[in-house]
Amino acid sequence: MSDLEQTLSIIKPDAVQRNLDLQIKEIFVNNGFKIVREKKIQITKSEAEQFYKVHETKPFYSDLCNYLSSGPIVVMILEKNGAVLANREIMGATNPSEAKEGTIRKKFGISIDKNSVHGSDSVENAKIEINFFFKD
Ligand code: CMP
């Protein structure tokens, strides 16, 4: 059995704007995640640039940071056994058009940019991302 883990989840501006945050949180809870902490915030472009620093050399970096800072987001610490991988499975592929039936991005994602949710990609990055939003 996998270890109890925490991962960072973000409900992105496209989903918050369409009032999908409650439905998305319900999907996490129904799949056994505990929402340990959560807050609805709007970040600045420079905060988005820090958060997505690993993508700074990518051609989509600037658009990505403009987008994440374009409206309110909901950031959450999710906890369960094997949370990092379980969250990635429930989110589905980055591009909603490639995401499997039943995943959050298949259900709600609009495009590769407006793909409704972000989730940490490793236990190590989860710690960094959780600390970015929840320092205390
Ligand atoms: P996310 O999981 O938040 O991590 C980085 C984001 O960059 C990703 O979701 C996408 O929304 C966005 N993105 C835009 N273009 C691309 C691309 N070509 N490949 C990967 N991610 C992309």
Side-chain angles (χ1 to χ4, degrees), residues 12 52 55 60 64 88 91 94 105 111-115 117-119:
K12 295 187 180 184
Y52 275 133
H55 294 300
F60 55 84
L64 174 62
R88 294 184 69 72
M91 287 194 299
T94 307
R105 284 167 169 163
S111 64
I112 195 161
D113 302 297
K114 297 182 175 172
N115 62 356
V117 280
H118 166 84

Side-chain angles (χ1 to χ4, degrees), residues 14-23 40:
D14 66 271
V16 175
Q17 196 184 23
R18 286 177 289 154
N19 288 316
L20 296 171
D21 37 329
L22 278 181
Q23 273 185 73
K40 190 189 261 189

Side-chain angles (χ1 to χ4, degrees), residues 7-37:
T7 190
L8 184 89
S9 170
I10 303 178
I11 305 178
K12 295 187 180 184
D14 66 271
V16 175
Q17 196 184 23
R18 286 177 289 154
N19 288 316
L20 296 171
D21 37 329
L22 278 181
Q23 273 185 73
I24 292 175
K25 283 197 276 184
E26 213 168 74
I27 293 173
F28 288 127
V29 171
N30 290 341
N31 280 276
F33 289 90
K34 181 175 170 191
I35 301 174
V36 176
R37 293 186 65 182

Side-chain angles (χ1 to χ4, degrees), residues 17 21 45 60 65-66 81 84 102-103 111 113-114 120-121 124 133:
Q17 196 184 23
D21 37 329
K45 181 165 185 194
F60 55 84
C65 298
N66 279 329
N81 286 326
V84 172
T103 61
S111 64
D113 302 297
K114 297 182 175 172
S120 312
D121 65 0
E124 193 190 351
F133 284 110

Side-chain angles (χ1 to χ4, degrees), residues 57-112:
T57 58
K58 310 268 173 64
F60 55 84
Y61 180 60
S62 180
D63 285 347
L64 174 62
C65 298
N66 279 329
Y67 172 61
L68 196 73
S69 57
S70 67
I73 57 175
V74 176
V75 291
M76 295 173 287
I77 301 176
L78 301 181
E79 185 176 88
K80 89 176 235 176
N81 286 326
V84 172
L85 190 60
N87 182 34
R88 294 184 69 72
E89 277 170 3
I90 204 162
M91 287 194 299
T94 307
N95 191 340
S97 68
E98 290 163 13
K100 283 190 196 141
E101 249 356 285
T103 61
I104 295 172
R105 284 167 169 163
K106 176 74 180 180
K107 246 177 154 162
F108 302 124
I110 296 169
S111 64
I112 195 161

